[in-house]
Amino acid sequence: MARILVIDDDLDLLEMTRMMLQRGGHEAILTGDGMDGIVKAQQLRPELAIVDVMMPGMNGYQVVRKLREDPATADMAVLILSARAQSVDREAALAARADAYMAKPVSPAELLQTVTDLLERRSQASLPANLMTSVFSLRGGVGTTTIAVNLALTLQQAGRQVCLVDLCQKSGHAAIQVRLQAKMTWADALLQINNLSPEALDQILLRHDSGLRVLASPFLPPARPPAGEAIARLLTMLKPAFGATVIDLGTLDDVGRTAILSSDFVLLVLTPEVASLQTTAATLRAIKALNVPDGHVLLVSNQVALRPGLSPAAIEKALGRKLFANLPYDEAQLEALGQGVPLMPGQFNSPLAANVRQLVQALAAARSARTPSPAP
Amino acid sequence: MATPIPSRRKMLQVDFFTPAHRLSTQVNVYGATLADQLNDPRVSWINLEMAYISRIEKPGEIIADYAISTLRKDQVSLAMVSGSTDGAVKKIAHASTFFPRLLHRVWVATGAVEITGHIELTGKLDLSTLLVAPAERFMQVIHAVATSAFFPATQYNAELILVNKDAIQVFCAEEKGKPVPQE
């Protein structure tokens, strides 16, 4: 769900747009005046603004230019919606630095699709380059691998070159979930880590049809746990080579600690049940002891069973921190696991896939909130 | 109980072009049509609601807007309807007649703008009858593309363009028409 500002002096159209957006699960902020729209954008920081061109006083192009001039609103996605429907009008909209232009009248489906595209484009644009994210839980069966796989595929579909790293030490399932046979694994990379060339690493990475690269885990656990230093070297090679790296992580040993300290974000996954809460509370304490900055660890509740679990409010109260994402139960995911075909991109609109896309947008927002604003 | 008075207000989105300006505006056609208003010989001006004004050399840039304005009809080169033409012209009943209605491809120059499109006629094309004889000042060109003669990269697509015959400098047409497709 996104917060969307709609600026249009046609009050009937404003109301219709609100209904369309709400039907698509978005929050609509409405105003009939360009200047008021700018003030609302500064105060409420919507992700997207839909701006009419022909408005009295301040026209839509002037509104967009003002939004772009202000650092507080410069990154907002902007869609121009106008009855001036000629190619010169599209050019004028893009010259004013709108992200997209649509001629009125628009169908609800067209509008929602454009809004979805713009929000996704914005989220990938605002994600930092070479983002490394660990999806982590000490408790099995909470869906860590499923989230890691779908997160990686969502980022890949958004135009990133992504590497999915399965750092589970006991027959990780990341490769299986995307139907890849792991001929070589990170164990092979670690054997030659001191002399590992980018070309040799490339040979070890599996290649999915989507373009996603996968560093699989060995089927059998290694005789000796890998050294954190070797893992650090491996991750140091991967991070600059990919637009995003997603790590599937299930231990807090040397490997886990290294991965967590190397990551920009740690998505700590739990299920809404008491036992998972207890594990998560203990994990949070252990991560805190590593001096990981507080904003780097983000809680993700994943409803893996149909039966209702603890409410998000109860989880937040018990753990003393906000949930970053609350992923719903998705029957399609069970079928996806059975067939070895991940939800993304085939079942783009399944509840879990839709929520993972929102998770990517939230990561982008969290990353930009962490980045200090430029001085006015 | 009193019968409610039906509203006669019907707004139509129109782009008017004069030799120097583009006006994106709304016209209240009052249950009639835009063509009726433009062709009404008793009134020299057409009233506009919310006019957004651009110069012809920068037609995407809005230089001014006014809630109330009026436009001299004899100074209008053309009026362009991009979306639905409902309320722009009277619908023609395609009754079966001895002379079928035919679409003729045309090329029209008004000085600043060149228009390609089609006109719909019954019977043989006769330029003097078409351009001089009828009382209507504005001619309908459908499925039209208007190109700026001075800035040929600037093009406008429109379902309908009403061209002021007094502004036409050159008019060319294909002699042989094609039958109007049945709806």
Side-chain angles (χ1 to χ4, degrees), chain A residues 54-57 61 84 86 89, chain B residues 22 24 52 54 59 82 156-157:
Chain A
M54 292 194 281
M55 294 186 289
Y61 303 141
R84 281 172 52 119
Q86 300 295 338
D89 303 313
Chain B
R22 171 192 183 191
S24 299
Y52 293 83
S54 306
S82 305
Y156 309 87
N157 290 282

Side-chain angles (χ1 to χ4, degrees), chain A residues 309-369:
Chain A
L310 296 167
S311 68
I315 296 170
E316 289 176 350
K317 191 175 175 193
L319 295 175
R321 61 162 67 201
K322 288 267 176 204
L323 279 177
F324 183 68
N326 186 24
L327 305 180
Y329 172 73
D330 191 344
E331 206 169 281
Q333 173 55 24
L334 289 181
E335 289 168 25
L337 284 175
Q339 293 166 0
V341 180
L343 290 177
M344 288 296 294
Q347 302 203 50
F348 185 79
N349 287 320
S350 84
L352 183 59
N355 274 268
V356 171
R357 287 203 302 280
Q358 287 175 14
L359 180 65
V360 170
Q361 287 170 15
L363 271 178
R367 187 63 183 83
S368 54

